[in-house]
Amino acid sequence: MARYFDNARDFHIDKFQVFNGHPSANPLEKLEAFIATEALHDSAERCDAPKCHPETRVAVQDDLYGWIENGDVDHPNNMKWVTGPAGTGKTAVMGSLSDRCKKSGLPVASFFFSSTGSIGRRTKTAFVTTIAHQLAQYRQDLKDAMAAAIDADTTVFKKNLDVQMDTLILAPLRTISDDYSAGLCGVIIVDGLDECKVERIHDTTTTGSKVKPTLARTNDQDQLEILQVLHQASLDPSFPFRILIASRPERVFREFFDPQNNPAACFARKLDLHEDYNADDDITLFLEAQFNRLCRRYNLTSSWLPPDAIAKLVRQASGQFIYAATVIRFLEMGHREPPKALLEAVLKMEVTTASNPLEHLDALYTHILESGPDPPLSVRWIRSIHQLTIDGAMFTPDTGSACTASNINLLLQKDPEISEAEHLFGTLHSLLLIPPPSDQTTIKYQFYHKSLLDFLDDPGRCGKLVTGIAASRRVEFGAVPFCAIWDRLHGLHLASAGHADRVSG
């Protein structure tokens, strides 16, 4: 047997280290292992994320960019809230603003939460580490200071957000605070914070169906924790970044940014996309551009569009870009009928109540869902896809390929030899991204907008489609324990072949 020290002379051993297969990782490599790359504004997962259409939302973007550069004289705090109801374009504005900052050379770090995205985008776990990793790219001395901080406390990634913020970001900034002339001043953009959810931890020591999810905290508490951590950071003299928070006007945000609740905070002026800006002109520009594109695609004459169509659609949108975007996707992906017939159907839709601010969006969702061959079954599938994807990710970390479209199809369909998904979703491509058959073994279903799930969660809004909701809840929470459903889904992934029986409640 070979011996490493045979014939060796004139040497001594000062220190002796044993590596387990490879040297210890570089501190910043350790940091990278704890970030959520999918949450970055330019991540691959967000390649289809909404962005402001050219020449739209110009005033909003200019207002926010001006605040990032110059601040607010009357409200000097470096933290600002951008809000608005569902569908008003908050994510599109934040995405376009992130791109603008990056292109202009202004340091920007972003985190785009999404309740329908990958697990890293749904929880707070990787929030501070993801921000820290982005900031480290702008200056070598900051990167070196972060590396030293990680070396000094290798357990920091398992600590709470407040400790992580101080150890990974604030303390390194203090070491280089003598000189900001290199242009470190910039912005941290946090979008969709209202979609941050509590991570559900399951007791893996139990067997059989006795899986006990622990919910020690609420979603509001995790969202508030992030707000408080960012606020404390903004008060540190060494922290040179402005902070933009975009969310729906949920209670936790209204209370946090209310001057009466936080009189000493003096936050920058709130920006409400629905109240502070009239989106009608921007929605008009968007629809005009999209209809021109449809004319070119389908070789249509200009007379196909009724003269008052755009004006009526703008009124029905009520400031909601999601309504206009869904109409265009519906015209593009209706499949069975030409765009003219589909547009006529949209223009003739009637709403059932005048008290619901989302009435026209609800009518559009209802019309699209009812255009399918079996609306109640389609609803059951949609809700089950969402629940399997979300709960599956919380149940086990190995979700990369187990929740693919093909595996979910095999789990839910009645006959393993027939593609029920193709039949059900043929006219629903405007509501969710449905991978083509050739990609379903690697790609997952994706929802275009959370407002569809909000619609299906509210029986008062979705009306008779509530039948499909009730049935889907039996699939999700009925006689078959979720652990058994997940085991079956996970088994499909491991086997990479075969079929699954239908899950019934």
Side-chain angles (χ1 to χ4, degrees), residues 158-224:
K158 300 297 183 181
K159 295 185 178 179
N160 62 50
L161 298 190
D162 187 58
V163 173
Q164 288 186 13
M165 175 63 76
D166 190 74
T167 302
L168 296 175
I169 296 179
L170 296 180
L173 283 170
R174 293 181 196 118
T175 67
I176 64 167
S177 60
D178 292 339
D179 179 22
Y180 291 138
S181 61
L184 188 57
C185 297
V187 63
I188 294 173
I189 294 176
V190 184
D191 179 72
L193 182 51
D194 55 295
E195 297 191 39
C196 176
K197 307 296 182 184
V198 172
E199 185 172 359
R200 282 174 280 181
I201 303 172
H202 291 74
D203 184 359
T204 56
T205 62
T206 59
T207 58
S209 61
K210 296 181 179 180
V211 179
K212 300 178 180 178
T214 59
L215 280 173
R217 290 168 63 87
T218 65
N219 296 336
D220 284 3
Q221 287 174 317
D222 275 10
Q223 294 161 16
L224 180 60

Side-chain angles (χ1 to χ4, degrees), residues 13-48:
I13 298 175
D14 186 18
K15 293 181 180 179
F16 188 72
Q17 288 181 283
V18 177
F19 296 111
N20 186 18
H22 55 80
S24 60
N26 176 283
L28 292 180
E29 291 178 355
K30 295 178 184 177
L31 173 62
E32 188 169 346
F34 287 91
I35 70 172
T37 54
E38 303 86 356
L40 306 181
H41 82 278
D42 55 358
S43 70
E45 182 169 301
R46 298 193 70 253
C47 65
D48 294 320

Side-chain angles (χ1 to χ4, degrees), residues 313 316-317 320 323 326-327 330 342 345-353 356-371 430-431 451-452 455-456 460-465:
L313 290 174
Q316 293 179 177
Q320 298 163 328
Y323 175 84
T326 303
V327 167
F330 180 57
L342 295 173
V346 171
L347 294 173
K348 291 177 182 177
M349 286 178 193
E350 296 184 0
V351 298
T352 58
T353 174
N356 176 14
L358 300 172
E359 54 191 354
H360 290 288
L361 181 63
D362 291 354
L364 180 59
Y365 280 156
T366 299
H367 177 82
I368 294 173
L369 287 166
E370 290 183 345
S371 69
S430 56
L431 302 182
S451 59
L452 171 64
F455 166 72
L456 293 177
R461 292 175 58 189
C462 64
K464 56 188 176 183
L465 292 172

Side-chain angles (χ1 to χ4, degrees), residues 85-102:
T88 49
K90 298 181 294 296
T91 295
V93 170
M94 294 299 103
S96 296
L97 188 64
S98 297
D99 284 339
R100 180 173 176 178
C101 291
K102 186 173 183 178

Side-chain angles (χ1 to χ4, degrees), residues 382-403:
I382 288 172
R383 287 186 55 84
S384 296
I385 288 168
H386 179 240
Q387 200 66 44
L388 286 167
T389 303
I390 299 301
D391 279 354
M394 298 299 184
F395 190 74
T396 176
D398 183 15
T399 61
S401 54
C403 287

Side-chain angles (χ1 to χ4, degrees), residues 27-285:
L28 292 180
E29 291 178 355
K30 295 178 184 177
L31 173 62
E32 188 169 346
F34 287 91
I35 70 172
T37 54
E38 303 86 356
L40 306 181
H41 82 278
D42 55 358
S43 70
E45 182 169 301
R46 298 193 70 253
C47 65
D48 294 320
K51 296 287 179 65
C52 293
H53 191 272
E55 300 181 14
T56 66
R57 293 304 209 189
V58 173
V60 176
Q61 291 188 66
D62 285 348
D63 190 347
L64 292 173
Y65 192 83
W67 176 79
I68 292 170
E69 284 193 311
N70 305 309
D72 189 333
V73 175
D74 297 330
H75 301 77
N77 192 287
N78 287 334
M79 197 165 175
K80 188 179 187 73
W81 182 32
V82 178
T83 188
T88 49
K90 298 181 294 296
T91 295
V93 170
M94 294 299 103
S96 296
L97 188 64
S98 297
D99 284 339
R100 180 173 176 178
C101 291
K102 186 173 183 178
K103 290 175 182 177
S104 65
L106 190 70
V108 55
S110 61
F111 198 104
F112 283 73
F113 284 96
S114 172
S115 63
T116 61
S118 59
I119 188 170
R121 298 179 63 192
R122 290 183 234 136
T123 66
K124 68 178 184 179
T125 307
F127 175 72
V128 173
T129 52
T130 303
I131 297 298
H133 186 269
Q134 293 172 81
L135 297 181
Q137 311 310 311
Y138 288 103
R139 279 182 50 164
Q140 185 60 47
D141 53 358
L142 180 59
K143 184 180 293 188
D144 293 341
M146 283 189 188
I150 295 169
D151 255 347
D153 185 1
T154 57
T155 65
V156 64
F157 306 115
K158 300 297 183 181
K159 295 185 178 179
N160 62 50
L161 298 190
D162 187 58
V163 173
Q164 288 186 13
M165 175 63 76
D166 190 74
T167 302
L168 296 175
I169 296 179
L170 296 180
L173 283 170
R174 293 181 196 118
T175 67
I176 64 167
S177 60
D178 292 339
D179 179 22
Y180 291 138
S181 61
L184 188 57
C185 297
V187 63
I188 294 173
I189 294 176
V190 184
D191 179 72
L193 182 51
D194 55 295
E195 297 191 39
C196 176
K197 307 296 182 184
V198 172
E199 185 172 359
R200 282 174 280 181
I201 303 172
H202 291 74
D203 184 359
T204 56
T205 62
T206 59
T207 58
S209 61
K210 296 181 179 180
V211 179
K212 300 178 180 178
T214 59
L215 280 173
R217 290 168 63 87
T218 65
N219 296 336
D220 284 3
Q221 287 174 317
D222 275 10
Q223 294 161 16
L224 180 60
E225 180 184 2
I226 291 174
L227 289 171
Q228 291 171 335
V229 165
L230 289 172
H231 182 221
Q232 285 302 117
S234 72
L235 299 177
D236 193 298
S238 299
F239 189 80
F241 304 98
R242 305 199 196 280
I243 300 170
L244 270 178
I245 306 290
S247 77
R248 298 184 188 187
E250 309 296 3
R251 179 180 59 82
V252 64
F253 299 93
R254 296 195 311 271
E255 292 181 352
F256 181 81
F257 287 102
D258 187 340
Q260 293 184 348
N261 293 335
N262 279 311
C266 193
F267 294 112
R269 280 189 294 261
K270 176 188 72 174
L271 190 153
D272 191 314
L273 292 181
H274 187 66
E275 295 178 357
D276 298 337
Y277 292 89
N278 188 337
D280 288 357
D281 290 343
D282 285 341
I283 293 176
T284 300
L285 285 172

Side-chain angles (χ1 to χ4, degrees), residues 116 382 385-386 431-433 445-449 452-453:
T116 61
I382 288 172
I385 288 168
H386 179 240
L431 302 182
L432 68 163
L433 192 155
Y445 289 106
Q446 297 180 46
F447 297 94
Y448 283 117
H449 200 268
L452 171 64
L453 300 170

